[in-house]
Amino acid sequence: VETIPWLDETEDRAWRAWMTMVERLRSQIARDLLVECGLSEPDYLVLVHLSEAEDHRVRMSELATRLNWSKSRLSHQLDRMQSRGLVRRESCPSDARGTFAVLEAAGLGEIERAAPRHVLSVRRHLIDVLDAEQLNALAGISDRVIAHLSGESACAEARRAAEDEALAAD
Amino acid sequence: VETIPWLDETEDRAWRAWMTMVERLRSQIARDLLVECGLSEPDYLVLVHLSEAEDHRVRMSELATRLNWSKSRLSHQLDRMQSRGLVRRESCPSDARGTFAVLEAAGLGEIERAAPRHVLSVRRHLIDVLDAEQLNALAGISDRVIAHLSGESACAEARRAAEDEALAAD
DNA sequence: AAAGATTGACGGTTCAATCTTG
DNA sequence: CAAGATTGAACCGTCAATCTTT
């Protein structure tokens, strides 16, 4: 009845600890940002990208790609930010289908005020908590997982088939 | 103008990689669970806790604590799961304020079907991607960050004050 | 007053459907 | 038909307010 590879004690411990860390760390940093700066994580990310862009403007499609977001998600997010005066939309002259997301002066002010506070939050809760070796290990682990996720879509079907067999045999 | 401790290259790299890893890994595992089993992450967590509990029932308050969720979040989640027949509520005889979350037969079936598939997903995207040393490092890093987050609420005010000074001096 | 729990409103995210332009 | 983008519905999570019982 053990055709399924359950997690052993070490694996389970690592998985649970990771889950807990992610949940607690993300919510803490998000709360800091919201309380201190009145910005959500998505708000912050959009503002960072626009503030670093040429002319403070990026095509919606391009911005969605850079953020690794769906077009729909970005469109909704921009609706909210536009209604608060942080960004605006402008049509693209060279392609009538296209739209630019453009940073407003208010948005620039917000991100300049928020950035140092956000860095402090990240430092306080994560960076300064780890030693140099752990920081390095974290980068290595993250890179490997990301690379695997990026590469595996190619052979996903074969893997699914193999797993279904394993499940059926149980 | 450098009173703010910006991230150096190594720190920035670790931070960005971690962010990307978390976003991609969580969404992938959540998508697997939803597509293969029709359960969201929160659904899964609630079902796991109830299926492991004595009599398949846990007090709302206790369950919220174990999941590290707000009472409100749990209440909303139970509304949704109850409407799908996965769980039910029962009042507590010994304390008229109390409510039990109780696993329904349908919920037990769902979690038994989902668990092995979910383990495979976690294994495929994370556990099997890392070597033993990395797995160990991940657990260590997570434990340290969690411990720091748990302990820091005590002295949060003092730290905030120091940071505000640093920001003001900039 | 404090503990247990719920509610409603709002912002955030996904999915499928849609619309327009290339 | 593809690509760029938006929309609406449904679900998720947080916050503040509320209600009841201890």
Side-chain angles (χ1 to χ4, degrees):
Chain A
V1 203
E2 272 300 325
T3 48
I4 305 298
W6 291 100
L7 303 184
D8 67 29
E9 205 177 307
T10 302
E11 292 165 344
D12 189 59
R13 186 175 111 67
W15 167 242
R16 286 178 199 249
W18 183 78
M19 288 275 286
T20 303
M21 172 200 179
V22 166
E23 187 192 330
R24 304 268 298 263
L25 187 55
R26 286 196 57 160
S27 68
Q28 184 61 56
I29 291 177
R31 193 155 28 239
D32 285 350
L33 190 59
L34 192 63
V35 169
E36 296 172 13
C37 313
L39 296 175
S40 70
E41 268 191 320
D43 292 338
Y44 185 82
L45 290 173
V46 168
L47 292 177
V48 164
H49 277 271
L50 290 181
S51 70
E52 290 173 348
E54 184 92 13
D55 273 344
H56 287 172
R57 75 185 54 221
V58 182
R59 285 282 294 270
M60 292 293 284
S61 204
E62 170 67 17
L63 186 50
T65 301
R66 289 195 207 168
L67 289 163
N68 208 42
W69 286 5
S70 70
K71 296 180 199 303
S72 168
R73 178 178 176 181
L74 179 60
S75 191
H76 285 304
Q77 180 67 32
L78 243 74
D79 285 345
R80 292 183 295 260
M81 295 179 73
Q82 191 163 21
S83 77
R84 291 158 58 199
L86 300 174
V87 299
R88 67 173 181 276
R89 285 174 163 95
E90 278 184 20
S91 55
C92 176
S94 64
D95 185 341
R97 293 172 305 180
T99 305
F100 281 107
V102 188
L103 188 62
E104 292 278 16
L108 183 57
E110 289 298 303
I111 192 61
E112 286 177 341
R113 199 172 63 81
R117 293 172 201 275
H118 185 245
V119 170
L120 277 178
S121 176
V122 170
R123 208 170 244 310
R124 188 166 74 230
H125 300 307
L126 178 67
I127 303 294
D128 288 351
V129 174
L130 303 178
D131 58 36
E133 194 183 340
Q134 287 179 316
L135 209 60
N136 228 33
L138 185 58
I141 288 166
S142 301
D143 284 343
R144 187 179 290 193
V145 172
I146 293 164
H148 183 261
L149 281 170
S150 301
E152 77 177 345
S153 32
C155 47
E157 272 186 39
R159 204 179 303 100
R160 291 297 169 86
E163 285 164 16
D164 287 347
E165 257 182 68
L167 281 168
D170 186 24
Chain B
V1 202
E2 271 300 325
T3 49
I4 303 299
W6 291 100
L7 302 185
D8 68 28
E9 205 177 306
T10 303
E11 292 166 343
D12 189 58
R13 186 175 111 65
W15 167 243
R16 286 179 198 250
W18 184 77
M19 287 277 285
T20 303
M21 172 199 178
V22 166
E23 188 193 328
R24 304 268 297 264
L25 187 55
R26 286 197 56 160
S27 68
Q28 185 59 57
I29 291 177
R31 194 156 26 242
D32 285 350
L33 191 58
L34 192 63
V35 169
E36 296 172 12
C37 312
L39 296 175
S40 69
E41 268 191 321
D43 292 339
Y44 185 82
L45 290 174
V46 167
L47 292 178
V48 164
H49 277 271
L50 290 181
S51 69
E52 290 174 348
E54 185 91 12
D55 274 343
H56 286 172
R57 75 186 53 221
V58 182
R59 286 281 294 271
M60 293 293 284
S61 203
E62 169 68 18
L63 187 51
T65 301
R66 287 194 209 171
L67 289 163
N68 206 43
W69 285 5
S70 70
K71 296 180 200 303
S72 168
R73 177 178 178 182
L74 180 59
S75 191
H76 284 305
Q77 181 65 30
L78 243 74
D79 285 345
R80 293 184 291 260
M81 294 179 73
Q82 191 164 20
S83 76
R84 292 158 57 200
L86 300 174
V87 299
R88 68 172 180 277
R89 285 174 164 96
E90 278 184 22
S91 55
C92 175
S94 64
D95 185 341
R97 295 172 305 180
T99 305
F100 281 106
V102 187
L103 187 63
E104 291 278 16
L108 183 58
E110 289 299 302
I111 192 60
E112 285 176 342
R113 200 172 61 82
R117 291 176 152 81
H118 184 247
V119 170
L120 276 179
S121 176
V122 170
R123 214 174 238 308
R124 187 166 76 230
H125 301 308
L126 179 66
I127 303 293
D128 287 352
V129 174
L130 303 178
D131 59 36
E133 194 182 340
Q134 287 178 315
L135 209 61
N136 228 33
L138 185 58
I141 289 165
S142 301
D143 285 343
R144 186 179 290 193
V145 172
I146 293 164
H148 183 261
L149 281 170
S150 302
E152 77 177 345
S153 31
C155 46
E157 272 185 40
R159 203 180 303 99
R160 291 297 170 87
E163 285 164 15
D164 286 346
E165 258 182 69
L167 282 168
D170 187 25

